[in-house]
Amino acid sequence: MKLYTIDHIPGEEITALGLVTGTTVQSVHLGLDFLAGLKNIVGGEIHDYTEMLEKARQIALDRMTAEAEKLGADAVVNVRFGTSSVMQSAAEVMAYGTAVRIRPR
């Protein structure tokens, strides 16, 4: 499945099949959250959160792609991510876009 952040596929004609989404809520271990709080005092990257969000983005993309495949899509255009804090130490990550079929030439 091809994924594009633009709203078209250069050189191709497409037919929109509809909105597709994928979402997940991920959290870190409370002990890691405490250590991240300490890191916040001294500054720097919080690696555990970075890894959590990277994993969450991939899960959301995989779920969005699976939804597009069910529609018979060849690609998803205008792919975007949304994030929100659900509770302390937990974040929702959503991937969304428009599933499309590439028209034969």
Side-chain angles (χ1 to χ4, degrees):
M1 179 75 54
K2 294 181 180 184
L3 305 176
Y4 297 90
T5 57
I6 55 179
D7 62 0
H8 65 285
I9 301 173
E12 299 286 357
E13 289 189 34
I14 58 175
T15 300
L17 301 176
L19 174 70
V20 287
T21 63
T23 188
T24 184
V25 176
Q26 297 283 313
S27 67
V28 295
H29 184 276
L30 285 176
L32 295 176
D33 192 43
F34 175 74
L35 294 174
L38 294 177
K39 182 73 169 190
N40 195 32
I41 293 170
V42 297
E45 182 177 3
I46 304 170
H47 294 283
D48 294 317
Y49 280 101
T50 300
E51 289 176 16
M52 175 192 75
L53 289 171
E54 285 175 359
K55 179 181 176 182
R57 279 191 295 274
Q58 190 58 55
I59 291 168
L61 277 176
D62 291 346
R63 291 178 179 171
M64 180 194 70
T65 300
E67 196 172 305
E69 287 172 350
K70 287 179 188 174
L71 294 176
D74 301 309
V76 180
V77 296
N78 210 25
V79 174
R80 300 288 186 262
F81 288 99
T83 61
S84 63
S85 178
V86 177
M87 55 186 278
Q88 187 175 356
S89 305
E92 175 191 31
V93 175
M94 173 184 258
Y96 60 97
T98 302
V100 298
R101 187 171 295 128
I102 299 172
R103 291 188 203 143
R105 292 178 178 230

